[in-house]
């Protein structure tokens, strides 16, 4: 009898212990989440909101990962939209490029900030005539739900190199903030080629080697008709944008540094967007298996970029790399001069 009582008591203690540990883990997770999502500094003057910090309750930002997610899935009602004062805002900042510069990584990392809401998909409104013809309200409805105090950001890398885009964006908002993330031009061109090559291989199609595309076989000079090369002449594209926007509305992000040392780059973007500094080293951890940084929103929710990021580049003839870097050098120097940012490119 005594043995049965002791066994019963041990079982009860185990159950109570499990409940206690579970409750403790929940509280820790909750505190971790609330710590990241505490009310942000007043930014209504910049982001167009009418409420003060005191009027913007803590739970509003908690909904950023909860209720807003339900809206993206289509699981929330119009009454909830009205109740929680949610809106679909036009972006106040756009990542306009550059393709294979790290636009997805930059967008996901900025989304760590509680005042930022991202458009998950590339909308291609300004560079696609059919989409642009649908009007600005169509574009707005492609934006995520957010609070008025939050800032919506979208990214479409084709914007940077498409001729009609600067004027179209200017007509929407002449004071918009524009983010350009760039990598060393030759590396970016090879990365561009690698993505196209992978797509061809998936369809069992053959493709030219990079060297044959990047170098004109008739002149043995750099082939500026090759799109991957043209895209890397950053200054040529930027000059077109400067016909509509002053340089102060642009911020250049070093895509190479974002890979190896992301926090300083993100802090510069926070400053450019006039956001209170909230992204910290806690939010970024290096994943040795993936070979780059992943994101930590709280102690429960982590996120790494898709496996398609960080593709291994094919080997390229060193003489071609040297020729390309020599070709890009004067354009790079002009880019540094215009933007006021010097990058450590060979």
């Amino acid at each position: 009898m005594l043995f049965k009582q002791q066994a019963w008591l041990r079982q009860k203690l185990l159950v109570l212990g499990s409940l206690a540990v579970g409750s403790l883990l929940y509280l820790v997770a909750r505190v971790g989440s609330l710590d990241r999502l505490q009310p942000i500094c007043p930014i209504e003057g910049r982001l167009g909101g009418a409420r003060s910090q005191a009027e913007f309750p803590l739970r509003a930002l908690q909904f950023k990962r909860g209720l807003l997610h339900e809206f993206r899935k289509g699981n929330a009602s119009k009454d909830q939209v009205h109740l929680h004062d949610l809106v679909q805002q036009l972006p106040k900042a756009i990542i306009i490029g550059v393709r294979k510069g790290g636009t997805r990584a930059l967008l996901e990392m900025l989304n760590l900030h509680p005042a930022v809401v991202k458009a998950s998909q590339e909308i291609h409104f300004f560079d696609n005539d059919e989409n642009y013809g649908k009007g600005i309200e169509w574009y707005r409805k492609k934006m995520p739900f957010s609070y008025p105090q939050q800032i919506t950001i979208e990214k479409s890398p084709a914007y940077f190199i498409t001729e009609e885009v600067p004027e179209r964006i200017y007509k929407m908002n002449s004071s918009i903030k524009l983010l350009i993330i760039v990598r060393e031009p030759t590396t970016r061109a090879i990365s561009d080629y690698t993505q196209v090559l992978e797509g061809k291989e998936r369809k069992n199609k053959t493709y030219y080697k990079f060297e044959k595309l990047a170098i004109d076989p008739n002149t043995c000079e750099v082939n500026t008709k090759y799109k991957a090369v043209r895209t890397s002449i950053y200054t040529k594209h930027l000059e077109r944008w400067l016909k509509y926007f002053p340089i102060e509305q642009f911020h250049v992000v070093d895509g190479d540094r974002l890979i190896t040392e992301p926090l300083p780059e993100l802090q510069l973007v926070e400053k450019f967007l006039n956001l209170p500094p909230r992204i910290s080293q806690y939010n970024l951890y290096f994943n040795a298996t993936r070979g780059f940084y992943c994101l930590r929103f709280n102690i429960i929710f982590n996120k790494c970029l898709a496996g398609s990021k960080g593709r291994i580049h094919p080997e390229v003839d060193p003489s071609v790399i040297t020729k390309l870097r020599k070709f890009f050098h004067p354009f790079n120097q002009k880019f540094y001069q215009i933007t006021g940012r010097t990058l450590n490119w060979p």
Side-chain angles (χ1 to χ4, degrees):
M1 184 68 177
L2 179 60
F3 176 77
K4 288 184 177 180
Q5 288 179 336
Q6 289 175 337
W8 179 84
L9 182 60
R10 280 197 299 271
Q11 186 179 8
K12 286 293 184 182
L13 288 172
L14 282 173
V15 171
L16 290 172
S18 298
L19 288 172
V21 171
S23 299
L24 180 61
L25 287 173
Y26 171 80
L27 288 172
V28 170
R30 188 73 168 169
V31 170
S33 176
L34 295 185
D35 178 64
R36 194 186 79 79
L37 295 175
Q38 57 187 290
I40 57 175
C41 299
I43 51 177
E44 64 275 3
R46 295 184 295 273
L47 304 185
R51 295 180 179 178
S52 68
Q53 180 182 4
E55 295 172 318
F56 193 55
L58 174 59
R59 69 174 177 276
L61 289 181
Q62 289 175 256
F63 278 119
K64 183 168 183 261
R65 300 295 173 213
L67 182 61
L68 298 185
H69 180 64
E70 293 302 307
F71 276 102
R72 284 195 292 272
K73 295 191 301 181
N75 293 342
S77 68
K78 290 183 179 180
D79 289 339
Q80 287 175 305
V81 173
H82 180 73
L83 176 64
H84 298 290
D85 197 24
L86 295 172
V87 292
Q88 287 174 292
Q89 303 184 82
L90 292 173
K92 293 187 174 67
I94 299 178
I95 301 171
I96 59 174
V98 176
R99 173 180 160 89
K100 306 315 299 174
T103 56
R104 173 56 61 182
L106 177 60
L107 183 66
E108 296 293 342
M109 289 178 178
L110 289 177
N111 194 49
L112 288 164
H113 199 293
V116 170
V117 179
K118 68 180 174 77
S120 297
Q121 302 298 319
E122 292 180 11
I123 300 167
H124 291 283
F125 177 65
F126 297 102
D127 65 313
N128 182 296
D129 290 341
E130 182 180 348
N131 288 344
Y132 189 69
K134 295 175 182 177
I136 200 71
E137 284 307 308
W138 178 89
Y139 181 54
R140 186 195 301 273
K141 290 184 183 301
K142 293 292 181 181
M143 294 298 133
F145 284 95
S146 64
Y147 294 94
Q149 293 76 14
Q150 292 174 309
I151 178 172
T152 299
I153 299 179
E154 77 123 323
K155 74 102 174 173
S156 293
Y159 288 169
F160 186 59
I161 63 170
T162 305
E163 188 172 344
E164 299 83 4
V165 170
E167 182 180 4
R168 289 174 175 180
I169 291 181
Y170 179 84
K171 287 179 178 178
M172 178 190 73
N173 182 356
S174 61
S175 62
I176 198 166
K177 299 289 185 77
L178 302 166
L179 294 163
I180 311 171
I181 180 166
V182 293
R183 297 190 67 192
E184 190 276 314
T186 301
T187 302
R188 195 221 64 82
I190 296 172
S191 181
D192 198 331
Y193 166 83
T194 303
Q195 179 170 310
V196 176
L197 175 65
E198 185 180 276
K200 297 284 186 181
E201 289 176 341
R202 280 200 305 266
K203 298 176 182 178
N204 294 318
K205 294 183 178 180
T206 57
Y207 197 50
Y208 293 107
K209 291 187 68 175
F210 176 79
E211 292 87 342
K212 285 195 173 183
L213 294 169
I215 304 298
D216 188 324
N218 297 319
T219 64
C220 293
E221 298 298 327
V222 173
N223 180 15
T224 55
K225 294 181 180 179
Y226 178 38
K227 188 175 180 180
V229 169
R230 288 202 316 274
T231 300
S232 286
I233 308 175
Y234 304 137
T235 185
K236 291 290 186 182
H237 306 294
L238 181 59
E239 285 173 343
R240 183 171 58 251
W241 284 83
L242 290 174
K243 293 176 183 178
Y244 295 92
F245 299 96
I247 194 63
E248 292 77 18
Q249 284 177 232
F250 296 86
H251 177 73
V252 174
V253 178
D254 184 344
D256 295 304
R257 191 184 184 203
L258 190 73
I259 296 170
T260 60
E261 198 179 358
L263 184 58
E265 287 299 315
L266 295 172
Q267 290 172 332
L268 289 173
V269 177
E270 284 180 323
K271 186 176 180 180
F272 172 70
L273 296 177
N274 295 321
L275 294 173
R278 294 301 302 278
I279 302 174
S280 70
Q281 196 61 56
Y282 168 80
N283 300 119
L284 303 159
Y285 68 95
F286 186 77
N287 185 314
T289 303
R290 303 292 294 276
F292 48 80
Y293 280 85
C294 294
L295 317 179
R296 180 187 291 116
F297 291 86
N298 51 51
I299 66 172
I300 297 295
F301 180 49
N302 298 340
K303 180 177 182 179
C304 288
L305 296 180
S308 61
K309 304 300 178 184
R311 296 179 180 88
I312 297 175
H313 293 178
E315 288 189 17
V316 176
D317 186 333
S319 66
V320 171
I321 292 177
T322 299
K323 185 183 285 286
L324 284 167
R325 285 178 173 168
K326 184 177 180 180
F327 169 80
F328 286 126
H329 182 74
F331 296 110
N332 296 343
Q333 296 302 311
K334 190 171 183 181
F335 184 73
Y336 301 158
Q337 183 181 7
I338 292 173
T339 62
R341 180 158 196 190
T342 300
L343 302 167
N344 297 320
W345 295 339

